[in-house]
Amino acid sequence: MAAAPPGSATKHTFSSLLKQKSLRTSPPPKSRATMAISMREVDPAFQGAGQKDGLEIWRVEKLQAVPVPRESHGKFFTGDSYIILKTTAIKNGSFRQDIHYWLGKDTSQDEAGTAAIKTVELDAALGGRAVQYREVQGNETEKFLSYFKPCIIPEEGGVASGFRHAEVNQREHVTRLFVCRGKHTVHVKEVPFARSSLNHDDIFILDTESKIFQFNGSNSSIQERAKALEVVQYLKDTNHEGKCDVGAVEDGKLMADADAGEFWGLFGGFAPLPRKTFVELNGVDTAFPPKLLCVNKGQAVSVDCEVLTKALLDSTKCYLLDCGCEIYVWMGRETALEDRKRAGLAAEELLRDGNRPKSHIVRLMEGFETVIFRSKFNKWPKKAEAVVSDESRGKVAALLKRQGFNSKVTAKAAPVKEEPQPLIDCTGNLQVWRVNDSEKTFLSFSEQCKFYSGDCYIFQYSYPGDDGEECLIGTWFGKRSIQEERTAATSLANTMIESLKFQAVLVRLYEGKEPIEFFPIFQNLVIFKGGASTGYKKFVSENGIQDDTYSENGVGLFRIQGSGPDSMQAIQVDTVAPSLNSSYCYILHDGDTVFTWIGNLSSSVDQDLAERQLDVIKPNLQSRMLKEGSEYDQFWKLLGIKSEYPSQKIARDQESDSHLFCCTFSKGVLKVREIFNYTQDDMMSEDIFILDCHSCVFIWVGQHVDTKVRAQALNMGEKFLELDILMENVSRETPLYVINEGSEPQYFTRFFTWDSAKSAMRGNSFERRLSVLKDGVKPRRDKPKRRPITSSHTGRSSVPDKSQRRSTSFSPDRVRVRGRSPAFNALAANFENSNARNLSTPPPVARKSFSKSSPDPVKPPQRAASIAAMSASFERPRQTLIPKSIKASPDANKPQSEASKPKSEVNAKESSTPAAKDGQTVAPTIQEDVKEGQPEDEEGLPVFPYDRLRTSSTNPATDIDHSRREMYLSSMEFREKFGMAKEAFAKLPKWKQNRLKIALQLF
């Protein structure tokens, strides 16, 4: 049988084979549950399919599905038909499957029909949950092409079949010309090797025996040119074993360019292309408003409706949704397989009658509709992602068996059990500001971990990253904060980002929606009701609202939560019984009366955290512990009345499978395009991308994005949440990160196989890839990925030694004390072994100056000083944020590298000043200024009398570390007050030290 002409295979996808089969079979069965074709079992080739993540491909040979070896995946022949199964294991433990049947332009009608029917069989074997796509050569969907990056280039010929015989002969290299179209996914098509094939709009690749040329049409974009280079690399590796020259030719360049001259010489000489050339239409068919049709006995009947709603779809019927460029076949879950086949036939006939050979057909089952399909309907009901239970799978298999299929129960993927880990170093430097009207007020370190629900805050956190110092600038909006201060906070944070040359990450957070990276930064965070900002006070007063701002002398109820001593929170809640929860511990106080309530489902960690929070909320007061069920009447009286309360932990948004979108934003309208099976190379330096993982959203901004567009990045993220692109009922308060290219943190790069050198190269996307392709070298970094961001508020070296680096994953067993609030430093140590020193946080030391001959020097960039100056231009507090003392404890508590050194050497290091050696910048270190003639103790600290060190002193000592007041006492006065020497005091557990300090007003 002769091959069908190009494009005609789609006319007989179902009908040709079904009609032939009907002639050989018995009269049509009467039972609705009997299949329309005489196939009682699933093709043996599909047994066990879809049981693991990855691709499986079958080629139709002699009307049978034959598996294609893995090494041949991505190789297609124009005379064949293929079935492609993509199985994806998703986070909820289930599998998601997509089936594509690909029809070559020269495939026979019968092979195409077999591929369509085999696709239905494969879907039945998988339980009827897969989405099915028809792919026609030259007009494949982007999802299909994403499986075979960078492209597919079908070869002429095909496999021998019962209707057609074709042989593919190995041939000598022949010069071939390809046209490439696509900004994100490349469609490659071979065109005649002639000047008339060229135009100004597309990219062309000329593959000769010794060299590959890329001709860039003058109207093509940088992104299209960069993507086409991936095809050049593919041809170089496939056809030339990676050994051939590469040349780039710009449209309009004259013979003076060597590559251009050689290129045009192959076409008989240079000649300008006319501006109006014939460009083959390769787009999709025209789209029009969706039209719903019901399929009844194979006939499609229009459904009369003004608005599309889900209620129009009946589970016992099949429907067609004609959108012009796509036709969706919706199959009710109670329909027979015969009805589903007839619906597919009706869709193909609709395309044939409308002369739309390039439109796609997408078949989907009720309950497994795609986002795009659901978006065509008005207010499609929100639902959680469908997860099929084992029982449901069995029912599906039984139903299919009654309908003629011997389908196995499909396997379920192993659930992805990932404990959330804050991928951020928790030993950095923190600064916090409260927003007052349109200004920001710096908070001392004793106040920076105390937030109010009626206020807005800005924080800047600098910490060591994998490639240098990283910086995070964020805004936190309390639940009752006013809009004016939220707007002011956003504006002020943007100004800080701009001042740092967009090298910091910006994050926008709402109370109750904080990501896991947030809490370890603050370590011990207390959130009070009410507000302290001028804007909040004014709003409450003007609107006659009762001000419920927290008062130490009033009644307060706090829920205690957290994962360990360096990530714990106390959240003030309404003082009523329903605020309790059996999974948590609570602190309730009325003035000096304090209760600790222990929920029956709370853990020992929760109970320990409650003990520690007592020293923060109500220090120096005894608390009465109450276990759930044994409360005093006084306890319930403070809560108003005893009533029911929940027992389940408060659910936080879980991270789901991530989706990457390329975005454009114009006149307030956001348009997105999903990038399937994305990689780092899909993100072009000229574009803005949004990575959505449900629990948070990242906006990635390329280095070459226009300044005006860059300024709209946060607005784009907010619009993205508003549109709810994935129809997941996402919260408008979901955390938003704005990340600039070159400043990607680990909690973003974990979604990729990331190479930080790629984003640090010179040039635009095309120039970067061309240099790698032509030179055959790995990406070269133009500059260090991070520039040290120093500040007058910080007390640590901005570029710590490797010995000072911390693991970026958080473990509750590791305590990091870095000079936060005094209460936290004391309380966190209770989680440690009292006899073990804290190895996780050595005292800050000056970085060593490496000579040019040093084997592994860490060189800060040359503009570090300017960055430091810009960061320091933010408000300078009068007192030092981080404790100045180098020696946080006696030698027993020092890291071994410091404790083992002679004292003179350590003191010399401590007293060093920032200096430059061999062109390297040394970050400033922490040192204690001792005035001339002032007495010092054994540690070199100044000595002050007890009266000046007390917290209630009328003449307090200045320039001291307030968390270590006792260390400024003379040895004699220390023994007099504490009844022991400083060495003995240092050996006490932290909680005992704090009790003694509280009693002496030194805490």
Side-chain angles (χ1 to χ4, degrees):
M1 177 178 288
S8 65
T10 60
K11 297 181 181 179
H12 303 279
T13 303
F14 283 93
S15 58
S16 61
L17 196 61
L18 288 179
K19 290 178 180 178
Q20 293 182 35
K21 292 287 184 181
S22 64
L23 296 176
R24 308 177 195 141
T25 57
S26 55
K30 298 180 180 181
S31 173
R32 171 184 171 86
T34 304
M35 291 179 51
I37 55 178
S38 60
M39 301 177 70
R40 292 295 181 179
E41 294 185 353
V42 173
D43 193 308
F46 298 145
Q47 297 296 329
Q51 304 300 303
K52 59 182 180 180
D53 190 276
L55 274 178
E56 297 172 79
I57 302 178
W58 297 264
R59 179 166 57 183
V60 177
E61 300 180 11
K62 297 181 180 180
L63 304 184
Q64 296 298 319
V66 178
V68 175
R70 183 174 298 275
E71 58 270 18
S72 297
H73 285 188
K75 187 175 183 179
F76 296 89
F77 290 93
T78 61
D80 290 334
S81 297
Y82 296 81
I83 301 170
I84 299 92
L85 169 63
K86 171 63 174 176
T87 302
T88 305
I90 55 182
K91 287 183 178 291
N92 64 15
S94 62
F95 282 132
R96 181 179 64 243
Q97 278 118 357
D98 294 286
I99 306 175
H100 306 255
Y101 60 101
W102 184 88
L103 309 177
K105 65 182 179 64
D106 298 324
T107 191
S108 70
Q109 299 172 0
D110 300 282
E111 287 180 345
T114 299
I117 290 179
K118 293 293 183 182
T119 298
V120 178
E121 292 184 36
L122 177 57
D123 179 48
L126 298 172
R129 302 187 311 278
V131 179
Q132 306 164 46
Y133 302 84
R134 188 192 69 159
E135 308 285 353
V136 179
Q137 180 182 342
N139 197 45
E140 297 87 355
T141 62
E142 292 193 356
K143 173 175 279 191
F144 175 81
L145 292 176
S146 72
Y147 305 151
F148 309 101
K149 291 182 178 180
C151 64
I152 61 170
I153 302 179
E155 299 289 339
E156 293 293 329
V159 69
S161 70
F163 300 98
R164 178 174 181 268
H165 180 79
E167 294 182 358
V168 181
N169 298 319
Q170 297 294 330
R171 57 177 182 265
E172 297 294 330
H173 189 279
V174 176
T175 298
R176 304 168 73 186
L177 182 65
F178 303 94
V179 60
C180 300
R181 298 185 178 100
K183 181 178 176 181
H184 305 294
T185 304
V186 185
H187 291 261
V188 180
K189 180 181 180 181
E190 185 173 1
V191 294
F193 175 30
R195 186 198 310 276
S196 60
S197 297
L198 304 176
N199 62 64
H200 298 288
D201 301 314
D202 297 317
I203 313 293
F204 293 86
I205 296 175
L206 182 62
D207 183 11
T208 70
E209 185 173 3
S210 59
K211 191 170 184 177
I212 301 176
F213 297 89
Q214 176 170 316
F215 174 82
N216 300 321
S218 58
N219 296 331
S220 62
S221 66
I222 293 175
Q223 297 92 319
E224 291 174 314
R225 300 178 186 188
K227 271 296 176 183
L229 283 177
E230 296 180 6
V231 180
V232 173
Q233 181 70 64
Y234 171 79
L235 293 173
K236 181 179 178 180
D237 295 337
T238 304
N239 298 343
H240 303 270
E241 299 180 348
K243 299 177 182 178
C244 73
D245 294 330
V246 174
V249 179
E250 297 298 324
D251 185 7
K253 279 198 172 182
L254 301 178
M255 298 288 288
D257 183 271
D259 287 334
E262 189 176 354
F263 173 81
W264 287 112
L266 296 171
F267 287 91
F270 173 79
L273 299 177
R275 283 297 170 185
K276 293 183 179 180
T277 59
F278 173 78
V279 180
E280 179 185 359
L281 295 176
N282 195 47
V284 296
D285 294 316
T286 304
F288 50 73
K291 181 181 179 181
L292 186 65
L293 303 97
C294 180
V295 180
N296 185 16
K297 297 181 180 180
Q299 299 296 319
V301 180
S302 178
V303 177
D304 187 17
C305 62
E306 295 183 358
V307 180
L308 289 177
T309 62
K310 187 178 183 299
L312 296 172
L313 304 178
D314 187 344
S315 297
T316 63
K317 298 179 181 179
C318 294
Y319 294 84
L320 304 182
L321 184 65
D322 189 359
C323 302
C325 51
E326 304 102 7
I327 293 182
Y328 294 92
V329 181
W330 186 89
M331 300 170 288
R333 61 175 176 266
E334 298 178 20
T335 56
L337 292 176
E338 179 183 2
D339 295 333
R340 299 173 191 177
K341 288 183 171 61
R342 288 176 176 173
L345 175 60
E348 300 233 1
E349 291 177 347
L350 191 61
L351 289 185
R352 182 174 64 252
D353 295 342
N355 191 25
R356 294 183 284 162
K358 295 178 181 179
S359 292
H360 297 116
I361 294 178
V362 182
R363 300 196 296 245
L364 33 81
M365 184 67 66
E366 179 182 5
F368 297 91
E369 298 87 354
T370 63
V371 173
I372 297 179
F373 176 83
R374 287 184 278 142
S375 68
K376 307 293 184 182
F377 290 77
N378 184 41
K379 297 182 180 180
W380 186 280
K382 303 286 185 180
K383 67 178 184 65
E385 188 170 3
V387 179
V388 181
S389 65
D390 293 336
E391 180 182 1
S392 299
R393 296 170 193 270
K395 292 180 178 179
V396 170
L399 175 62
L400 293 172
K401 190 172 183 179
R402 290 197 302 271
Q403 295 181 349
F405 281 87
N406 182 21
S407 175
K408 289 185 177 181
V409 176
T410 56
K412 187 176 181 180
V416 181
K417 296 182 179 179
E418 296 180 353
E419 291 296 332
Q421 297 291 324
L423 301 176
I424 190 170
D425 192 289
C426 302
T427 63
N429 299 311
L430 177 67
Q431 305 165 65
V432 183
W433 295 264
R434 178 186 294 120
V435 176
N436 286 302
D437 288 330
S438 59
E439 304 294 333
K440 65 181 191 290
T441 302
F442 182 80
L443 300 181
S444 64
F445 72 84
S446 61
E447 296 294 325
Q448 66 183 7
C449 294
K450 298 178 181 179
F451 283 14
Y452 288 86
S453 290
D455 294 341
C456 297
Y457 296 85
I458 302 172
F459 62 91
Q460 177 178 333
Y461 182 64
S462 302
Y463 60 98
D466 292 337
D467 297 289
E469 192 80 0
E470 298 187 4
C471 183
L472 175 65
I473 293 177
T475 57
W476 183 92
F477 301 152
K479 290 181 178 179
R480 298 187 60 187
S481 59
I482 63 175
Q483 184 59 46
E484 291 78 7
E485 291 189 336
R486 293 181 180 183
T487 303
T490 301
S491 177
L492 292 168
N494 285 333
T495 301
M496 296 169 68
I497 291 287
E498 293 174 7
S499 299
L500 294 176
K501 303 299 182 184
F502 298 97
Q503 294 184 52
V505 175
L506 175 65
V507 61
R508 186 217 64 183
L509 306 175
Y510 283 88
E511 180 184 355
K513 292 288 185 178
E514 300 90 351
I516 59 174
E517 287 80 19
F518 175 76
F519 292 121
I521 291 176
F522 288 83
Q523 297 190 340
N524 182 18
L525 181 65
V526 182
I527 301 179
F528 298 107
K529 296 176 72 68
S533 69
T534 55
Y536 174 82
K537 296 295 186 184
K538 182 179 179 181
F539 176 81
V540 169
S541 175
E542 292 180 350
N543 291 273
I545 302 174
Q546 181 179 358
D547 189 355
D548 60 352
T549 301
Y550 172 74
S551 172
E552 293 183 358
N553 298 323
V555 179
L557 179 65
F558 293 85
R559 183 181 69 247
I560 309 302
Q561 61 188 40
S563 56
D566 44 5
S567 181
M568 55 182 178
Q569 307 89 48
I571 314 296
Q572 186 179 5
V573 295
D574 293 337
T575 314
V576 292
S579 296
L580 299 176
N581 188 309
S582 300
S583 295
Y584 297 92
C585 295
Y586 289 78
I587 294 175
L588 173 64
H589 74 76
D590 180 11
D592 293 340
T593 302
V594 184
F595 296 97
T596 302
W597 187 83
I598 308 298
N600 287 335
L601 300 180
S602 63
S603 66
S604 58
V605 172
D606 296 327
Q607 297 168 26
D608 288 338
L609 294 181
E611 286 295 318
R612 284 153 177 74
Q613 291 287 12
L614 278 173
D615 284 335
V616 178
I617 298 174
K618 282 295 181 179
N620 204 26
L621 287 178
Q622 186 67 33
S623 173
R624 282 179 283 183
M625 183 178 296
L626 302 176
K627 288 191 175 182
E628 182 179 359
S630 60
E631 300 87 354
Y632 300 148
D633 291 339
Q634 184 183 3
F635 176 84
W636 293 117
K637 185 177 181 180
L638 292 176
L639 296 181
I641 186 174
K642 186 176 181 180
S643 60
E644 294 184 356
Y645 48 83
S647 60
Q648 297 295 323
K649 270 191 173 292
I650 299 174
R652 302 184 64 86
D653 288 338
Q654 296 298 311
E655 182 177 287
S656 62
D657 297 275
S658 56
H659 297 262
L660 183 68
F661 301 88
C662 183
C663 307
T664 58
F665 193 62
S666 177
K667 297 180 180 179
V669 178
L670 176 68
K671 295 182 179 180
V672 301
R673 190 184 194 97
E674 184 168 3
I675 310 299
F676 300 101
N677 298 295
Y678 63 82
T679 65
Q680 180 184 358
D681 291 334
D682 288 316
M683 298 200 300
M684 300 290 183
S685 185
E686 295 72 27
D687 289 326
I688 293 181
F689 290 82
I690 288 180
L691 182 68
D692 180 8
C693 61
H694 186 72
S695 61
C696 60
V697 171
F698 301 92
I699 303 102
W700 183 90
V701 184
Q703 291 180 357
H704 292 84
V705 171
D706 182 79
T707 304
K708 293 182 179 179
V709 178
R710 181 189 299 271
Q712 296 295 319
L714 188 60
N715 292 336
M716 292 173 66
E718 293 176 340
K719 192 69 175 179
F720 181 86
L721 294 178
E722 178 185 344
L723 295 175
D724 193 11
I725 300 295
L726 295 176
M727 301 182 70
E728 296 178 331
N729 199 21
V730 66
S731 170
R732 298 278 295 272
E733 297 180 354
T734 299
L736 288 177
Y737 291 86
V738 177
I739 299 173
N740 291 280
E741 183 180 10
S743 299
E744 296 87 355
Q746 186 181 1
Y747 48 83
F748 172 78
T749 59
R750 66 189 176 93
F751 293 98
F752 304 82
T753 301
W754 195 263
D755 182 358
S756 59
K758 289 183 178 179
S759 60
M761 294 180 66
R762 293 192 184 100
N764 58 39
S765 299
F766 172 72
E767 293 167 341
R768 296 178 187 180
R769 300 187 186 191
L770 182 61
S771 64
V772 174
L773 185 60
K774 294 183 68 173
D775 300 337
V777 296
K778 294 182 178 180
R780 178 174 56 85
R781 297 191 61 175
D782 179 31
K783 57 187 178 182
K785 184 182 175 216
R786 301 288 187 272
R787 296 173 180 171
I789 300 176
T790 59
S791 172
S792 60
H793 304 318
T794 60
R796 289 183 180 272
S797 171
S798 61
V799 186
D801 290 329
K802 291 182 179 180
S803 62
Q804 287 183 266
R805 296 289 178 88
R806 307 292 182 270
S807 170
T808 55
S809 63
F810 167 69
S811 170
D813 298 329
R814 295 186 61 191
V815 181
R816 302 180 179 94
V817 182
R818 64 173 191 278
R820 289 291 176 266
S821 65
F824 167 74
N825 286 342
L827 300 177
N830 287 344
F831 270 62
E832 298 181 280
N833 183 340
S834 60
N835 296 323
R837 58 187 174 87
N838 179 16
L839 296 179
S840 65
T841 308
V845 297
R847 291 188 61 246
K848 296 179 180 179
S849 297
F850 293 94
S851 63
K852 291 184 179 179
S853 60
S854 298
D856 186 26
V858 180
K859 296 184 178 181
Q862 297 178 355
R863 287 189 284 176
S866 62
I867 301 298
M870 285 184 289
S871 182
S873 66
F874 304 143
E875 299 176 19
R876 301 172 180 265
R878 293 186 178 180
Q879 66 177 30
T880 305
L881 176 64
I882 303 297
K884 288 187 175 181
S885 174
I886 291 295
K887 300 179 180 180
S889 59
D891 291 351
N893 291 334
K894 290 185 181 180
Q896 186 175 357
S897 60
E898 290 296 314
S900 61
K901 294 183 180 180
K903 186 173 182 180
S904 59
E905 180 181 348
V906 177
N907 289 340
K909 287 181 65 180
E910 294 166 359
S911 61
S912 63
T913 57
K917 185 175 183 180
D918 295 331
Q920 296 183 9
T921 303
V922 180
T925 60
I926 310 162
Q927 58 183 359
E928 182 63 45
D929 295 326
V930 181
K931 297 180 180 179
E932 185 177 354
Q934 192 174 41
E936 302 179 16
D937 71 348
E938 294 86 344
E939 294 188 34
L941 296 177
V943 174
F944 293 95
Y946 169 72
D947 289 338
R948 294 193 62 192
L949 293 172
R950 291 186 305 161
T951 55
S952 59
S953 175
T954 57
N955 182 26
T958 59
D959 295 331
I960 65 171
D961 179 357
H962 295 278
S963 66
R964 302 175 63 243
R965 296 172 184 268
E966 72 281 1
M967 301 309 295
Y968 296 92
L969 291 170
S970 66
S971 298
M972 181 179 299
E973 193 168 15
F974 186 97
R975 182 180 292 274
E976 175 185 345
K977 297 296 183 183
F978 286 90
M980 66 186 76
K982 291 184 179 180
E983 292 76 7
F985 178 82
K987 295 179 181 179
L988 294 176
K990 286 291 184 181
W991 67 270
K992 287 188 177 181
Q993 293 180 7
N994 289 341
R995 291 297 184 185
L996 293 172
K997 290 163 63 175
I998 290 172
L1000 293 171
Q1001 298 185 14
L1002 293 174
F1003 186 82

